[in-house]
Amino acid sequence: MTMKKKLLTLLLLASQTLVYAEGSALLITLKGGSQAAYIFSDKPVVTFTETAMSVKVADASTDYQRADISNFKFVDASEVAAIDQISEGSTLFEYTDGKISAAGAPIQVYSLSGHLLKSGSSSVSLADQPAGVYIVRMGKQVIKVRK
């Protein structure tokens, strides 16, 4: 590994949090052209390893392989809400007060052991589920949610 790559990797590993402002959203564009948009109510923690990027907030986390990411940026949440066309394979979702909403995407909620617990067409409530960590699939996107 060249010195330049080592320095870049060290800087990426050392960066724990990117710039954040109230009403921010993280827009991730993958190499295939699909996008994932995350609108935050809490300050996110974005961490990097040599091979992955992890986005975490109090109630949820998701991971991306760095090789799959074309670019990512923080934008104003209104920019994400104003996107007229999100490329095929993208899912815009929200997790608030135990309710998962994904614009027009099927949602499946699984236990950590892989059992399907709930499913819905555009929203699913976890209100009747005990506190814990759940795996949520929305379209092609998979995240972990902590209730």
Side-chain angles (χ1 to χ4, degrees), residues 42-108:
D42 297 327
K43 183 177 179 180
V45 176
V46 180
T47 56
F48 298 89
T49 66
E50 280 193 40
T51 60
M53 174 179 143
S54 178
V55 181
K56 296 180 183 179
V57 291
D59 296 331
S61 68
T62 190
D63 298 307
Y64 291 92
Q65 292 299 309
R66 285 182 49 195
D68 296 340
I69 299 172
S70 175
N71 67 52
F72 64 94
K73 62 184 175 180
F74 280 97
V75 296
D76 187 87
S78 63
E79 288 182 45
V80 172
I83 294 175
D84 292 329
Q85 294 181 358
I86 297 178
S87 60
E88 186 178 339
S90 300
T91 304
L92 181 62
F93 66 90
E94 179 180 356
Y95 178 63
T96 307
D97 298 325
K99 182 179 178 184
I100 303 163
S101 302
I107 302 170
Q108 295 91 33

